[in-house]
Amino acid sequence: MANITGIHGFNPSSGTARLFAAYGNDVVNVAAGTGYGLNLNGNDVEFENFLDRVFIQNGNMRPLTYRTSTNKWTKEHVGRTPRSKYIKKFKSRLYLGYCSFPGPQAPIDQDENAVSFPSRVFYSNLFFGGELTWGIEWGISDDIIANFPFLNVTPPLVQDFKQRNIKVGDPLFFTSGDESGVNKYYTVSSVESPYRLKVDKNFYATSDANNYWVGSNWFDVEPDDGDVITGLGENSDRLLIFKLMSLWYYTGSQLKKVSGAVGTSYNRSIINDRYGNTYYFHGSDPKITGIYKFNGVSSQLISKPIDKFILGMATGSYDNVVTWAEGSELSFFLGGLSATNHIDAMTNARAVYNTETGAWTVEPIADVVTAATTWRTGNEEDTFLGT
């Protein structure tokens, strides 16, 4: 296969299992060799199983879900959901990292740029009532009147404050328009109707076409550190949030930074073993570049025995390291290695780590690996690689 930007095995509780590959501008049913006409844009495509569906994100398109009984991708459960680069099921919710708002009526800032949140995590509500909600809404308001506390939208637009589960106490932000520079945010004091909110203080000016968003299902991960979210994982019933230079975990109520830990340069290098450890690749300064193991308490560089190979990597390969498991062995695709005084050149190489013995080997591999997944056929689970 060529130009695979994502691959995913889906084993629903009933119905036909599917192996999907994001190929070119579409998602393909690998077994049938047929696509779905999704018009992707070439970004990495991330998949996640939740509610017996497959959720898809690629940081640019509107998110979609797949249901095996219909064999279709639709907006079920993601009608008004932020788009994201990363998606992860944790406990009974979905979490999204490095987010922005899709259309219709995606808000813009005062400079007419799309509003994005490189260090913010949004999350879904608990599933209830047949439709997954995300506790967030956005758009462009109708007229707001000075000295009155009401925000209105005119139906039949896509906005619906009650259906999106907007709550009393949620913050309301204006990203452009007359209100955007007046207050940091307003607070919802009443959801008057599906198309009308009352806030905690009167608006400053009479104006229309104010870009806004409202909701509280999110938290920031040190947004002023000059870094961005680079991946999501899970360890010991905690959500892991990776930035390039830091690692965080979220318990469901508290966000904590792992002391002294670096993060990852590529989310597809993140993998767990069967013993409760999480592994990932970090690429930045050569002195700290390599493969790390997080044991739930601290993170340690474990690839020192193969440093001579790590130093042969091109820096452009740091954000392309893909990891997969085969039994007790973890394989890390390193890309091409340059010849040095200590190693010969390799066109494509993988480092293999044995989680039981701690032994390392580095060997050639025929293809450029771009994605990996597991997929169960019958009672046997196999690993599939995209190239």
Side-chain angles (χ1 to χ4, degrees):
M1 305 175 95
N3 302 317
I4 298 297
T5 55
I7 191 167
H8 185 72
F10 177 46
N11 292 97
S13 60
S14 63
T16 305
R18 308 283 187 190
L19 179 63
F20 295 116
Y23 176 82
N25 286 320
D26 201 1
V27 170
V28 175
N29 177 335
V30 174
T34 56
Y36 296 88
L38 298 190
N39 194 28
L40 306 177
N41 68 347
N43 287 359
D44 279 357
V45 175
E46 303 301 335
F47 303 85
E48 185 65 298
N49 296 340
F50 189 58
L51 301 178
D52 223 20
R53 311 284 193 273
V54 180
F55 287 67
I56 185 175
Q57 292 269 11
N58 77 344
N60 185 68
M61 62 177 280
R62 291 185 69 182
L64 297 170
T65 60
Y66 174 84
R67 185 175 183 176
T68 194
S69 62
T70 61
N71 194 29
K72 291 181 179 179
W73 294 89
T74 69
K75 295 190 291 292
E76 183 187 23
H77 299 315
V78 289
R80 295 292 274 175
T81 304
R83 60 190 176 193
S84 67
K85 288 188 175 183
Y86 313 108
I87 179 170
K88 184 70 178 176
K89 176 186 177 296
F90 172 60
K91 296 184 177 178
S92 298
R93 302 178 192 261
L94 278 180
Y95 288 76
L96 309 175
Y98 200 131
C99 300
S100 62
F101 296 117
Q105 290 201 341
I108 57 175
D109 64 19
Q110 293 282 45
D111 298 320
E112 300 187 355
N113 298 313
V115 177
S116 64
F117 306 97
S119 292
R120 183 166 292 175
V121 174
F122 287 84
Y123 54 88
S124 70
N125 289 312
L126 297 173
F127 180 63
F128 178 79
E131 177 68 21
L132 185 67
T133 59
W134 294 79
I136 192 168
E137 187 56 281
W138 63 87
I140 302 172
S141 71
D142 291 347
D143 292 348
I144 57 176
I145 309 301
N147 301 316
F148 285 88
F150 300 103
L151 180 140
N152 302 287
V153 296
T154 302
L157 296 177
V158 294
Q159 288 82 13
D160 187 319
F161 299 123
K162 290 199 171 184
Q163 187 176 3
R164 314 303 177 215
N165 200 27
I166 301 304
K167 305 173 290 295
V168 171
D170 281 355
L172 166 69
F173 301 89
F174 288 97
T175 62
S176 70
D178 292 339
E179 294 293 329
S180 61
V182 179
N183 290 294
K184 184 176 181 181
Y185 63 88
Y186 294 87
T187 301
V188 175
S189 59
S190 176
V191 182
E192 305 265 300
S193 80
Y195 312 107
R196 179 180 173 97
L197 295 177
K198 182 179 180 181
V199 295
D200 60 327
K201 47 185 172 280
N202 292 338
F203 290 120
Y204 169 75
T206 297
S207 59
D208 61 3
N210 288 275
N211 287 251
Y212 73 91
W213 69 274
V214 57
S216 58
N217 284 20
W218 54 271
F219 57 88
D220 282 329
V221 183
E222 201 163 315
D224 298 321
D225 63 357
D227 206 349
V228 301
I229 292 173
T230 55
L232 301 175
E234 186 176 3
N235 179 281
S236 299
D237 205 30
R238 294 174 296 179
L239 179 72
L240 297 182
I241 304 150
F242 294 82
K243 303 182 95 170
L244 176 62
M245 300 306 298
S246 60
L247 174 60
W248 304 72
Y249 66 82
Y250 180 68
T251 64
S253 59
Q254 290 185 311
L255 178 69
K256 300 236 181 222
K257 187 176 184 179
V258 179
S259 178
V262 295
T264 188
S265 42
Y266 195 43
N267 67 302
R268 292 184 180 175
S269 73
I270 303 166
I271 195 168
N272 288 356
D273 66 17
R274 66 185 82 178
Y275 306 112
N277 303 299
T278 301
Y279 302 80
Y280 59 94
F281 181 86
H282 170 88
S284 61
D285 186 307
K287 294 179 181 178
I288 58 173
T289 291
I291 297 164
Y292 285 75
K293 175 182 175 180
F294 175 63
N295 63 7
V297 178
S298 61
S299 184
Q300 179 183 7
L301 178 65
I302 63 169
S303 58
K304 283 291 185 183
I306 57 167
D307 249 2
K308 61 184 179 181
F309 297 99
I310 300 291
L311 292 172
M313 292 177 64
T315 56
S317 296
Y318 291 171
D319 56 0
N320 289 295
V321 175
V322 177
T323 308
W324 64 95
E326 294 174 292
S328 61
E329 293 186 334
L330 305 179
S331 290
F332 298 80
F333 176 74
L334 304 179
L337 303 183
S338 298
T340 69
N341 292 334
H342 305 287
I343 66 168
D344 295 326
M346 290 189 202
T347 301
N348 293 304
R350 69 168 177 170
V352 182
Y353 178 72
N354 189 301
T355 59
E356 294 180 351
T357 67
W360 283 100
T361 58
V362 177
E363 59 192 25
I365 186 171
D367 297 308
V368 175
V369 179
T370 57
T373 192
T374 57
W375 187 46
R376 192 176 66 253
T377 53
N379 293 323
E380 184 174 343
E381 187 172 76
D382 295 312
T383 297
F384 293 82
L385 305 180
T387 63

